[in-house]
Amino acid sequence: MNLHEYQAKQILAGYGVSVPVGEVAETASSAQGVARKLPSKRYVVKAQVHAGGRGRAGGIKIVDSVAAVEKAAEELLGQTLVTEQTGPEGRSVRAVYVEEAIDSKRDVYVAVLVDRETGKVSLIGAEQGGEDIEERAAAKPSIIKTLMVKPDGSAAKGAFESFAKKLNLTGALTKKGATLFQGLAKAFVEQDASLIEINPLAVTAGQELLALDVKMVLDDNAMFRHQDIHDLQDKDELDPVEMQAQANEINYIRMEGNIGVVVNGAGLALVTNDMLTDAGGVPANFMDIRTTASSLDISAGFDLLLSNPNVKAVLVNVHGGGMQRCDTIAEGIGISIKRCGCTVPIVLRFAGNNADYGRTLLGNYGISYIEAQDMGDAIERVIALVRPEAA
Amino acid sequence: MAILVGKDTKVICQGMTGRTASYHIERAMAYGTNVVGGVRPGKGGTRHLDAPIFDSVSDAVAGTGADASIIFVPPPSAAEAMIEAIEAEVPVVVCVTERVPVLDMVRVRDALEGSKTHLVGPNSQGVLTPQACKLGVMATVHERPGSIGIISRSATLTSEIVAQTSAAGLGQSTTVGIGGDPVHGIGFVECLKLFMDDPETAGVILIGEIGGADEEMAAGYLSSVKAPKPVVALVAGRHAPPERRMGHAGTLTLFGRADANQKIKTLRAAGVHIAPNPHDVAGAMRQSLE
């Protein structure tokens, strides 16, 4: 689950991380009201969307007067912001965060995440941060420094200090850095985060460390123990179709093509789309029916797929496993088609557990389909259906 | 005896009295798996599916001599169940549970360090040695005893490859689902080591996918082995939609490693035969065995 910048800053402030003074606003006039209260003559107005790259995309404005704050907020609110991380559809801006502008003498980069290779909570940092950190790290990996911490977020005596020194935080900044990093690791573990990123972490002229931008992602699987945080979720940022699918135990991602795809299991779903693409087809979606989906869940997932007007044919590629069998999926498809009466052609490939029973069930629902012998055959047949000359 | 589990493996089930566990354990028993008991705190001394139930893993191990456990415990307490099995020094533990919090798995990995346990999963379909032991929830339709080891991050894709290796007359020594979670127990490398040392395994199939670093670590290991057994790999997600993400850190630690085509390149450089699609896997394995 993604948090907005202002939410993340609020949480981190509780762990001793200093952040600029600011408030969120949903209208231009309240943005102006926020600016009026700030102890500053320069302000930052920042679009609150779940994506990085806002600065380069014009989603962050630095201005010199309260009137200019209002104008900047007016421009940003309601705008669709397209950054390198949003995809071409962009994100609509519903709120802005107004804070005091800070003069940074140096921008540091720091993040906490779980390293997949070692399975440990890791702090990573670079003495020079900024929006191009990714490119610079790819070109020169040695600029990235790492500190692995214990599962509870603690570290050996002096470890946070020496990490601070590696980021060239010297003198009085070593201690301040160590305290901040310790707080970050603690926040990460206590809040069940999967990512906290501070970029930039400003070093001010007064030798203070201030988190100017924060990104925080929480582990969806741990939300059962964080109901308070779960309530912070901004549902407007989520794709309603994908959210509906999730509620029905289905991973669903909309894509550009015209072949609807129904598969159980993420690996088989990836391979199905790989094979479709290799053969010249274009999938309309990625679908992975989880092992826990019931036939009613599956029918809802099939409804979503059929609601996509671009879908000209459907490929069902199911390998019945121990937990998700062909008959459950047949039942789901049957319910959905009976409900909508739609006639889009279906190529069906059932294998594994209860494949025969699944086909019988579809027959009982009176659903006609083109049967395929194997995956390769299924893909050939469904592509033949969407070729221009077939229409 | 293939790897991890065989005919003589004595299995207990943690959380056996639950509905899903009962369903799958009944099927495992029917398959011939030697299920010697179950664990359910508070129900010690009772029986379920005609097997004795114990209050704790250590009681169950003491009472039955079990050397493998399969865990069906809901996500909030799955980590504690895994750690309990690790502390009881159960040699092979499969965790089927999906949606275990990542930071719980960080604690489990910590408990695994220096332990005597091979943990498989979580979010795993388990381990299957055909006609001998089913420590998992996989379909048993197409598997045949044979000489190919299969290591996979994906359950349904495993079923697919099992069917094809059986049809090609190769069969399987053991199949291992390492699970789809970012932090998991046993990985490609440990499984490869076990298969390399197993006299019944002639070749190994790796089923990988985008994300994570298991494929790169496998390539690193294989480059270090003199004359390994033939390895064929399928990497799913060559045309996957780019992952939506926030921030830079995801790619920072990976340095471009998550991409399927990059994984394929790295594996190929380590001498692994690449099957572009599932129906090429069995053929590629046959060829490399000749």
Side-chain angles (χ1 to χ4, degrees), chain B residues 39-52:
Chain B
V39 177
R40 175 72 167 81
K43 288 197 183 170
T46 63
R47 294 183 77 79
H48 183 65
L49 303 177
D50 210 23

Side-chain angles (χ1 to χ4, degrees), chain A residues 134 219 274 278 290-291 349, chain B residues 98 160 237-239 248 251:
Chain A
E134 208 166 340
D219 181 0
D274 285 350
D278 284 341
R290 303 171 74 109
T291 53
R349 186 271 181 156
Chain B
E98 287 182 39
E160 195 69 44
R238 287 179 290 111
H239 299 293
H248 300 282
T251 33

Side-chain angles (χ1 to χ4, degrees), chain B:
Chain B
M1 60 156 263
I3 70 163
L4 297 170
V5 298
K7 233 182 169 33
D8 301 325
T9 304
K10 291 182 185 167
V11 174
I12 55 167
C13 172
Q14 292 171 252
M16 179 149 104
T17 53
R19 199 174 63 94
T20 314
S22 301
Y23 173 86
H24 288 291
I25 292 300
E26 218 172 343
R27 271 150 191 80
M29 286 170 158
Y31 192 74
T33 308
N34 186 16
V35 179
V36 295
V39 177
R40 175 72 167 81
K43 288 197 183 170
T46 63
R47 294 183 77 79
H48 183 65
L49 303 177
D50 210 23
I53 298 296
F54 298 86
D55 282 324
S56 71
V57 176
S58 55
D59 285 357
V61 169
T64 63
D67 52 12
S69 176
I70 181 163
I71 299 174
F72 291 90
V73 168
S77 31
E80 268 49 56
M82 285 182 258
I83 291 171
E84 190 189 347
I86 294 164
E87 285 176 350
E89 302 192 340
V90 179
V92 178
V93 176
V94 164
C95 183
V96 175
T97 312
E98 287 182 39
R99 302 191 186 193
V100 177
V102 176
L103 287 172
D104 285 3
M105 282 314 298
V106 169
R107 287 192 294 123
V108 172
R109 277 281 287 262
D110 198 54
L112 272 174
E113 240 167 76
S115 79
K116 294 178 176 153
T117 299
H118 285 301
L119 172 69
V120 181
N123 190 10
S124 160
Q125 81 268 29
V127 184
L128 176 69
T129 296
Q131 305 293 317
C133 182
K134 170 177 165 171
L135 190 67
V137 299
M138 63 286 282
T140 42
V141 180
H142 300 290
E143 83 291 353
R144 302 284 176 271
S147 61
I148 303 304
I150 298 179
I151 320 169
S152 173
R153 290 173 62 188
S154 151
T156 39
L157 210 41
T158 312
S159 306
E160 195 69 44
I161 301 303
V162 162
Q164 299 194 19
T165 44
S166 291
L170 293 167
Q172 305 84 36
S173 53
T174 302
T175 73
V176 187
I178 64 169
D181 282 9
V183 179
H184 50 253
I186 199 168
F188 279 170
V189 173
E190 288 131 292
C191 292
L192 277 169
K193 283 182 187 166
L194 293 171
F195 277 128
M196 292 298 157
D197 290 339
D198 172 38
E200 285 176 26
T201 299
V204 183
I205 294 170
L206 291 179
I207 306 173
E209 61 188 46
I210 43 171
D214 265 292
E215 294 78 8
E216 287 80 357
M217 288 161 78
Y221 162 71
L222 288 169
S223 307
S224 73
V225 181
K226 274 194 196 130
K229 294 172 184 176
V231 178
V232 171
L234 168 70
V235 182
R238 287 179 290 111
H239 299 293
E243 206 181 336
R244 263 162 301 172
R245 64 201 173 93
M246 274 190 27
H248 300 282
T251 33
L252 262 184
T253 42
L254 298 166
F255 292 118
R257 283 188 295 178
D259 177 61
N261 291 312
Q262 192 58 41
K263 284 174 186 287
I264 287 171
K265 226 170 113 183
T266 310
L267 285 166
R268 193 174 270 144
V272 174
H273 306 267
I274 301 297
N277 290 312
H279 54 227
D280 306 316
V281 172
M285 182 47 87
R286 260 180 170 284
Q287 240 177 10
S288 49
L289 285 174
E290 274 163 12

Side-chain angles (χ1 to χ4, degrees), chain A residues 63-333:
Chain A
V63 295
D64 288 323
S65 70
V66 171
V69 167
E70 187 171 14
K71 188 166 168 282
E74 211 169 81
E75 279 168 26
L76 286 173
L77 288 164
Q79 185 197 326
T80 301
L81 195 65
V82 180
T83 85
E84 64 230 39
Q85 292 184 10
T86 59
E89 71 280 7
R91 298 274 173 166
S92 148
V93 181
R94 294 183 180 82
V96 292
Y97 191 55
V98 183
E99 59 182 16
E100 53 173 338
I102 301 292
D103 278 321
S104 176
K105 295 294 157 204
R106 173 158 66 96
D107 288 344
V108 175
Y109 176 88
V110 63
V112 196
L113 44 79
V114 175
D115 179 67
R116 292 180 67 149
E117 221 163 290
T118 58
K120 290 185 194 300
V121 175
S122 312
L123 269 82
I124 60 172
E127 70 170 87
Q128 199 61 56
E131 288 212 314
D132 60 345
I133 180 71
E134 208 166 340
E135 292 85 342
R136 284 190 290 113
K140 196 178 172 199
S142 63
I143 66 169
I144 299 294
K145 311 297 176 199
T146 309
L147 170 67
M148 306 266 186
V149 301
K150 294 178 188 161
D152 65 357
S154 69
K157 201 172 180 319
F160 288 114
E161 280 80 2
S162 59
F163 182 65
K165 284 181 191 151
K166 281 188 198 160
L167 302 186
N168 198 19
L169 297 172
T170 53
L173 284 172
T174 305
K175 184 84 190 57
K176 285 176 182 166
T179 309
L180 185 142
F181 301 142
Q182 192 171 6
L184 266 190
K186 189 163 188 252
F188 187 88
V189 172
E190 283 187 3
Q191 303 297 333
D192 271 296
S194 45
L195 170 70
I196 301 178
E197 186 185 60
I198 303 182
N199 186 29
L201 175 67
V203 180
T204 65
Q207 297 287 285
E208 296 296 329
L209 290 172
L210 250 76
L212 298 195
D213 190 14
V214 178
K215 293 192 176 56
M216 191 162 174
V217 184
L218 304 171
D219 181 0
D220 291 320
N221 290 342
M223 282 304 112
F224 64 83
R225 53 190 176 210
H226 297 286
Q227 192 52 52
D228 49 331
I229 289 190
H230 195 241
D231 296 340
L232 294 177
Q233 182 160 48
D234 180 354
K235 295 218 161 57
D236 287 334
E237 284 277 337
L238 304 173
D239 180 319
V241 171
E242 289 170 19
M243 212 168 48
Q244 180 65 49
Q246 281 298 334
N248 290 291
E249 303 289 312
I250 291 169
N251 298 319
Y252 182 95
I253 298 171
R254 283 198 275 195
M255 295 167 71
E256 299 298 306
N258 55 4
I259 300 173
V261 185
V262 178
V263 189
N264 63 325
L268 189 62
L270 287 171
V271 156
T272 305
N273 283 11
D274 285 350
M275 288 176 74
L276 256 182
T277 310
D278 284 341
V282 190
N285 66 281
F286 168 92
M287 186 192 285
D288 157 29
I289 300 170
R290 303 171 74 109
T291 53
T292 40
S294 67
S295 54
L296 279 176
D297 287 326
I298 294 161
S299 75
F302 205 78
D303 287 350
L304 292 175
L305 184 152
L306 293 175
S307 72
N308 176 350
N310 298 334
V311 170
K312 298 288 174 270
V314 175
L315 167 64
V316 179
N317 181 25
V318 169
H319 201 118
M323 301 175 96
Q324 187 57 268
R325 302 179 311 253
C326 291
D327 54 303
T328 315
I329 292 174
E331 186 100 47
I333 295 173

